[in-house]
Amino acid sequence: MNALFLTFVFPLLGFLILSFGRNRLSENVSAVVGVGAMGLSALSALWVGIDFLQNPPAKGVYTQELWTWINAAGFMPRFVLHLDGLSLTMLGVITGVGFFIHLFASWYMRGEEGYERFFSYMNLFVASMLFLVLGDNLLFLYLGWEGVGLCSFLLIGFYYKNPANGLAARKAFVVTRVGDTFMAIGLFILFREFNTLSIQEILTLAPQQFTSGDPVMSLVALLLLGGAVGKSAQLPLQTWLPDAMAGPTPVSALIHAATMVTAGVYLIARTHGVFLLAPDVLHLVGMVGAVTLLMAGFTALMQTDIKRILAYSTMSQIGYMFLALGAGAWGAAVFHLMTHAFFKALLFLSAGSVIIATHHEQDIFKMGGLWKKIPLVYACFIVGGAALVAVPFVTVGFYSKDEILWQAYANGKDLFFYAGLLGAFLTAIYTTRLIVIAFHGEAKTEAHAPHGLAHHLPLLVLLVLSTAVGALIHPPLAGVLPETVPVRGEEMKHTIEFITIGVAFAGIALAVLLFGGQRRLISAVAQSGPGRLVGGLWKNAWGFDWLYDLLFVKPFMWLVRVNARDWADAGIGVLPWLTREGHRLLAKTQSGKLRWYAATMAIGLVAVVAGFALV
């Protein structure tokens, strides 16, 4: 376990080598450095994980102090790594899935301008995420939190020559900063109350100093929730995530599957002691997740871009995790976080293969008949889509999603349970719709099958992990997260399981009926008056972008125009004006005439002598 620090040292070294070697390294060298750094990080994590599980430390926690970061008036946050079952789970997901995404990217990004720049950003992104999940104190965690925000801006706007990509990157940065500001205020309050930012000390002191429902803890939990919804793209700060598709597809896989969007789930799980003292806010966590998963599910039904469908799917699945946290199903939330990383990374990388195979086409209605031309990618979509839908017993998604729904029901959270069922039904419809339209029916575009080890290996490994095999990897969370006592017995568990299975298959059957063949029925509904109204609302993501533009962007731009020449600017402008005019006057004295220079020297000498004489 002493090698824990190497998990982030290797990506940092990769970032430094690629940054300083920019424009001087070949694509092969850049790939070796970028992918190799991630491979070494994953091997370090595997070594540490095996040692942790075979030789459990005292109390199930291992800490590694690196150095003291700040020492000012008793405020001494340190760089200390904290390894327990929760951070080990995140460590495995980030480095393991992250490595295969990097390997796939070495194939996907070939020939792109800025190849080494891309991998330098990717390595820094992973290092920042590891800071976030391994940090022993909230300041260290916040450093990683802001690091992934910066890297997401750089990666989403990687194709910066296209203005739309720059706008998408800026949108992601600004929207997530709103949540980060709330989180920072929450950290200030925690430090004021406990005189420390150590997570374990806060979790110990909080129940000693505060009772359940205390306004201070409720406020802190609400502020932390603000940070979580920003990073995890939950209502009301969800608008940045679909636009993040402007980045390269491996970036989408990394952000949406293994790293950034799961940070909010991790934050709430890590600070669970605070949320347990704020039951109303914890219930709000579940409500936010339930509403987000339904809104994103309906929106995904109307999307035509293959990556945007998966983006809204991610938003919906993160909603499931928030719902689980709010329902008290802490372990199930983290389990679904892990399984989601497997099948969503598989789906995004497969979507990248489709895009390359179809010559950068992303509209599913311009594809069709792809199953014959790219059979491996089709198999990946079938398995990944089945895991997303939670096809029973054979897919990894079934085990985690079923656990969430069962615990929501067992804990008496009926509203969350029914929202989860409806979300599962919507997921089955839009996932089957994507596969039926893109891979079946009449071929509308030429396609060629991608090849190469860097393409095949990540897909095959993630395909296996997306089956029931992935469910054998269960997070070691015993003693790390609270275990809730169900208010309902086990007698309904199999009934709930059958209901979940029935809902998933009903959604698949309905999607095949509506979107298979000529699609006359769904076309007629879509062309009707109510169909156009509802379809337009869902296609535009319930109008949140329009609303925020009306409430925030336009008023801000109006203020900018009104204050374009305000008194402050005018006042500050006096200084450069005086400087320019003084320069203009003094410049006239430089005439180049010897008599003028002699005269000015004489006048100056007389003035100096007169001055001394007067004194």
Side-chain angles (χ1 to χ4, degrees), residues 111-131:
E112 294 281 1
E113 182 182 354
Y115 191 82
E116 69 285 349
R117 175 168 59 91
F118 172 82
F119 278 105
S120 69
Y121 294 162
M122 291 278 278
N123 280 183
L124 182 61
F125 191 104
V126 171
S128 299
M129 191 67 193
L130 291 173
F131 286 157

Side-chain angles (χ1 to χ4, degrees), residues 207-243:
Q208 297 175 5
Q209 298 184 21
F210 297 96
T211 58
S212 179
D214 188 275
V216 174
M217 286 296 97
S218 296
L219 177 60
V220 170
L222 196 60
L223 292 168
L224 293 179
L225 175 59
V229 298
K231 274 290 185 288
S232 292
Q234 297 293 286
L235 191 74
L237 300 179
Q238 81 285 8
T239 56
W240 67 268
L241 190 65
D243 291 347

Side-chain angles (χ1 to χ4, degrees), residues 362-430:
Q362 295 186 205
D363 189 337
I364 60 174
F365 285 94
K366 295 180 180 178
M367 299 176 184
L370 295 180
W371 73 275
K372 294 180 180 179
K373 300 176 181 179
I374 45 176
L376 173 61
V377 178
Y378 175 63
C380 292
F381 253 98
I382 289 294
V383 174
L388 177 59
V389 173
V391 171
F393 309 121
V394 295
T395 66
V396 71
F398 168 74
Y399 295 94
S400 57
K401 190 177 290 187
D402 178 69
E403 189 68 18
I404 290 175
L405 293 175
W406 158 242
Q407 290 197 30
Y409 179 83
N411 292 340
K413 303 291 184 179
D414 290 350
L415 181 61
F416 296 165
F417 170 70
Y418 292 120
L421 280 182
L422 179 56
F425 182 67
L426 295 173
T427 302
I429 295 175
Y430 67 68

Side-chain angles (χ1 to χ4, degrees), residues 43 208 553 602:
L43 289 174
Q208 297 175 5
V553 178

Side-chain angles (χ1 to χ4, degrees), residues 33-48:
V33 173
V35 180
M38 270 308 306
L40 292 172
S41 177
L43 289 174
S44 301
L46 179 63
W47 180 286
V48 168

Side-chain angles (χ1 to χ4, degrees), residues 219-552:
L219 177 60
V220 170
L222 196 60
L223 292 168
L224 293 179
L225 175 59
V229 298
K231 274 290 185 288
S232 292
Q234 297 293 286
L235 191 74
L237 300 179
Q238 81 285 8
T239 56
W240 67 268
L241 190 65
D243 291 347
M245 296 300 97
T249 303
V251 172
S252 304
L254 189 64
I255 291 177
H256 290 209
T259 54
M260 182 170 164
V261 294
T262 61
V265 180
Y266 173 79
L267 175 67
I268 295 174
R270 178 56 77 194
T271 58
H272 60 269
V274 174
F275 284 87
L276 289 175
L277 292 173
D280 291 340
V281 179
L282 185 58
H283 183 76
L284 179 61
V285 172
M287 289 297 297
V288 167
V291 174
T292 305
L293 79 89
L294 293 178
M295 291 181 59
F298 282 113
T299 304
L301 290 172
M302 296 301 299
Q303 303 304 308
T304 59
D305 186 302
I306 190 171
K307 289 176 66 177
R308 288 182 77 88
I309 295 171
L310 296 178
Y312 283 108
S313 167
T314 295
M315 194 185 300
S316 180
Q317 296 305 304
I318 300 295
Y320 264 108
M321 299 172 205
F322 271 66
L323 182 150
L325 294 171
W330 301 91
V334 177
F335 186 32
H336 193 57
L337 183 156
M338 183 193 75
T339 63
H340 174 262
F342 297 156
F343 62 75
K344 188 51 65 66
L346 175 63
L347 286 171
F348 265 113
L349 297 186
S350 300
S353 296
V354 170
I355 292 169
I356 294 295
T358 56
H359 313 286
H360 297 278
E361 180 58 67
Q362 295 186 205
D363 189 337
I364 60 174
F365 285 94
K366 295 180 180 178
M367 299 176 184
L370 295 180
W371 73 275
K372 294 180 180 179
K373 300 176 181 179
I374 45 176
L376 173 61
V377 178
Y378 175 63
C380 292
F381 253 98
I382 289 294
V383 174
L388 177 59
V389 173
V391 171
F393 309 121
V394 295
T395 66
V396 71
F398 168 74
Y399 295 94
S400 57
K401 190 177 290 187
D402 178 69
E403 189 68 18
I404 290 175
L405 293 175
W406 158 242
Q407 290 197 30
Y409 179 83
N411 292 340
K413 303 291 184 179
D414 290 350
L415 181 61
F416 296 165
F417 170 70
Y418 292 120
L421 280 182
L422 179 56
F425 182 67
L426 295 173
T427 302
I429 295 175
Y430 67 68
T431 304
T432 307
R433 168 183 177 265
L434 187 160
I435 295 173
V436 168
I437 294 174
F439 290 92
H440 294 273
E442 180 186 354
K444 300 181 180 66
T445 184
E446 292 296 325
H448 62 275
H451 55 83
L453 180 65
H455 171 266
H456 289 353
L457 182 60
L459 294 182
L460 291 172
V461 171
L462 291 170
L463 184 148
V464 172
L465 291 175
S466 296
T467 65
V469 174
L472 299 176
I473 308 171
H474 212 282
L477 301 175
V480 180
L481 296 175
E483 296 184 5
T484 57
V485 179
V487 299
R488 291 172 175 149
E490 293 282 329
E491 65 276 1
M492 286 292 292
K493 185 169 185 179
H494 290 302
T495 303
I496 297 301
E497 191 174 276
F498 290 139
I499 292 173
T500 304
I501 293 171
V503 165
F505 280 120
I508 294 172
L510 180 60
V512 172
L513 177 65
L514 294 176
F515 299 103
Q518 299 298 316
R519 301 193 285 270
R520 292 191 181 93
L521 177 59
I522 193 65
S523 298
V525 173
Q527 294 302 318
S528 66
R532 286 196 299 270
L533 178 63
V534 174
L537 183 64
W538 292 352
K539 187 174 179 62
N540 291 288
W542 300 85
F544 273 91
D545 280 317
W546 171 84
L547 180 63
Y548 290 170
D549 185 66
L550 182 67
L551 293 179
F552 302 112

